[in-house]
Amino acid sequence: MGNAASARVLERNGFTQIGLAPQYFRLGSAGGGWADCRLFQRINPAWRGEG
């Protein structure tokens, strides 16, 4: 679960960390291990779906 710089960019731009997906993707080829993935979202409060 690396890349703290990318997480800071997301947070500075209004994204919020909402969770963690454990062992979400595999690093490298078949010999790589599984890595956790931090989940972020940004909600648009002005959005009003159709209907």
Side-chain angles (χ1 to χ4, degrees):
M1 208 174 61
N3 210 336
S6 290
R8 282 193 304 273
V9 169
L10 289 170
E11 290 166 346
R12 277 196 306 257
N13 285 282
F15 286 79
T16 303
Q17 182 174 339
I18 60 166
L20 178 71
Q23 298 182 2
Y24 183 73
F25 61 93
R26 194 167 200 163
L27 299 172
S29 59
W34 289 93
D36 297 341
C37 181
R38 294 170 63 184
L39 305 174
F40 288 83
Q41 73 176 11
R42 182 172 177 196
I43 303 295
N44 179 356
W47 184 80
R48 298 178 186 241
E50 294 183 40

